[in-house]
Amino acid sequence: MSTGPASDSPSDPAPGLTALEAARRIGGPAGEIGGRWLLSPEVLGTAKDNGYPNGFVYYFLGRGGVLGDVDADVISSAFGFFNPSLVRTMWDLGLAVEAPRTAARRYAQACGEYGSRHATGFTGAARYVELVERLLDGASVLGLSLFAGWRAEQRPDGLHARAYFLTHLLREWRGSAHVAAVASVGITPLQSILTAHGGDRAKMFGWGDSFDDVAHLESQRGMCEERTDEICAIALDTTLDADERLELANLLDELAVAFAE
């Protein structure tokens, strides 16, 4: 009887990703790609045509409008990291223009149109849509109000528009989980911004011009990222198998390349 070498046996299949590995892989690309449209001149440049005093007001009412006609504190709790006084100013100015849900539908349409213009080179869009929809439709919305609001919005029909809209939805899913993680660790929104992005981002988010040193909070910042990944891993574990998680991460990388071209 022949006893050939082990290399004659079929090779083991390439491993997929654990749920936690997948959460770590997709977090950065989803946030970066899915957020490109939010403050894009292509999108916010239409603000004045629709009656808004500026694009930033449109951003607040459009993104937060999925939560309905609520007090600005509700928007602050969902957005997480903006100075509440800035949120109130922008939100109230937006309410003077149009109803929040109307603004949200307008903003969602702009998201799909942005994807139609920029994601047409993404050849894996159909499979990507299938995997992301299964993931996000199966994810819990417990405590993730902004994600829940956006998930309930109508999705575009066009393939690349839908793929990009879902990438934005991936971002809101992880972003809402991150807000919960920051709250659980006990650092403030401002401290979270400073440890992750520095003073320029904090200024943009309405926190003033002078900030305390937060170097001693680096370990808490790391805990926030870990908890965010753990929250996202729950849905990744129950909706996709290991190979599908790897496939999704690779497709998201392909989408990033398509956007760069």
Side-chain angles (χ1 to χ4, degrees), residues 90-103:
M90 297 294 106
W91 183 251
D92 288 348
L93 286 170
L95 289 177
V97 177
E98 62 184 343
R101 294 301 299 274
T102 301

Side-chain angles (χ1 to χ4, degrees), residues 63 65-68 101 104-105 108 136-137 139 141 144-156 162 165-166 168-169 172-173:
R63 184 178 173 217
V66 296
L67 299 177
R101 294 301 299 274
R105 287 191 292 270
L136 297 182
D137 289 341
V141 297
L144 311 182
S145 58
L146 194 57
F147 165 59
W150 273 100
R151 191 177 73 172
E153 289 297 306
Q154 183 173 349
R155 297 168 192 173
R162 195 179 191 92
F165 182 88
L166 288 166
H168 161 66
L169 194 53
E172 295 292 18
W173 171 58

Side-chain angles (χ1 to χ4, degrees), residues 56-70:
F56 214 31
V57 174
Y58 179 34
Y59 161 80
F60 275 92
L61 197 69
R63 184 178 173 217
V66 296
L67 299 177
D69 189 2
V70 296

Side-chain angles (χ1 to χ4, degrees), residues 28-30 32-34 36 118-119 121-122 128 164 167 249-261:
E32 196 280 322
I33 302 166
R36 289 188 188 183
H118 293 279
F122 181 34
Y128 176 80
Y164 188 70
T167 308
N250 289 338
L251 285 167
L252 193 52
D253 290 342
E254 291 178 21
L255 176 58
V257 172
F259 256 82
E261 292 175 344

Side-chain angles (χ1 to χ4, degrees), residues 67 74 76-80 139-149 151 172-184 231:
L67 299 177
V74 178
S76 289
S77 73
F79 278 29
S140 172
V141 297
L142 181 64
L144 311 182
S145 58
L146 194 57
F147 165 59
R151 191 177 73 172
E172 295 292 18
W173 171 58
R174 184 176 175 83
S176 293
H178 190 59
V179 170
V182 169
S184 74
I231 293 170

Side-chain angles (χ1 to χ4, degrees), residues 205-222:
F205 279 40
W207 292 103
D209 299 307
S210 179
F211 310 107
D212 294 334
D213 180 34
V214 293
H216 63 290
L217 296 174
E218 288 298 328
S219 61
Q220 284 95 322
R221 173 68 194 181

Side-chain angles (χ1 to χ4, degrees), residues 23-42:
R24 292 167 178 160
R25 270 279 304 270
I26 70 177
E32 196 280 322
I33 302 166
R36 289 188 188 183
W37 74 284
L38 286 167
L39 296 174
S40 166
E42 294 177 43

